[in-house]
């Protein structure tokens, strides 16, 4: 479904489905492209609500406190600005277009994520 949505966005709008870019385009005094950006983000937020309403069980267990979650979100935001995009833009769209920059960015995202989990579970928690 994600691949289909990305293909449709590129075909009908000529835009890459990078979530950080879509959200960033709404946060900084938008002049154009507001409707599709807002619709895309609203659709992302409504999808789990619709799934739950349709009887699809979603079992999420978060083992972190609000401080860790907010810090992680802040660091991810910094990373997406530094990398010029997020995992959806680079990992899903960029790699499928054959972008070497996106391959490097995605490998960097993944390595940082693996290292963070390893440190948190095996070095900090030990």
């Amino acid at each position: 479904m994600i691949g289909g949505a990305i293909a449709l966005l590129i075909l009908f709008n000529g835009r890459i489905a990078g979530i950080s870019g879509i959200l960033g385009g709404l946060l900084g005094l938008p002049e154009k492209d507001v409707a599709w950006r807002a619709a895309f983000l609203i659709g992302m937020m409504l999808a789990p609500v619709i799934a739950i309403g349709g009887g699809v069980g979603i079992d999420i267990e978060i083992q972190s406190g609000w401080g860790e979650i907010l810090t992680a979100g802040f660091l991810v935001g910094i990373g997406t600005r530094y990398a010029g995009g997020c995992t959806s833009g680079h990992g899903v769209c960029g790699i499928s277009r054959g972008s070497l920059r996106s391959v490097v960015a995605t490998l960097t995202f993944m390595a940082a994520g693996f290292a963070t989990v390893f440190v948190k579970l095996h070095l900090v928690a030990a």
Side-chain angles (χ1 to χ4, degrees):
M1 290 180 74
I2 293 171
I6 287 168
L8 290 173
L9 185 62
I10 290 173
L11 283 173
F12 290 112
N13 229 9
R15 307 292 274 168
I16 300 296
I19 307 308
S20 63
I22 293 171
L23 178 61
L26 283 177
L27 294 179
L29 299 177
E31 297 177 12
K32 57 181 181 172
D33 296 334
V34 173
W36 76 265
R37 290 174 189 272
F40 189 94
L41 294 171
I42 290 168
M44 280 184 50
M45 291 183 280
L46 285 179
V49 174
I50 294 168
I52 292 169
V56 176
I58 299 175
D59 186 23
I60 299 173
E61 182 181 333
I62 299 174
Q63 298 177 357
S64 296
W66 281 107
E68 286 179 302
I69 292 170
L70 293 173
T71 300
F74 180 73
L75 292 173
V76 167
I78 290 172
T80 59
R81 295 302 286 180
Y82 183 72
C86 58
T87 52
S88 57
H90 283 299
V92 178
C93 299
I95 290 176
S96 66
R97 290 183 4 254
S99 168
L100 179 60
R101 177 176 171 257
S102 290
V103 170
V104 171
T106 303
L107 289 173
T108 304
F109 295 151
M110 297 304 291
F114 294 150
T116 301
V117 170
F118 179 82
V119 167
K120 182 174 181 342
L121 294 180
H122 299 289
L123 301 179
V124 174

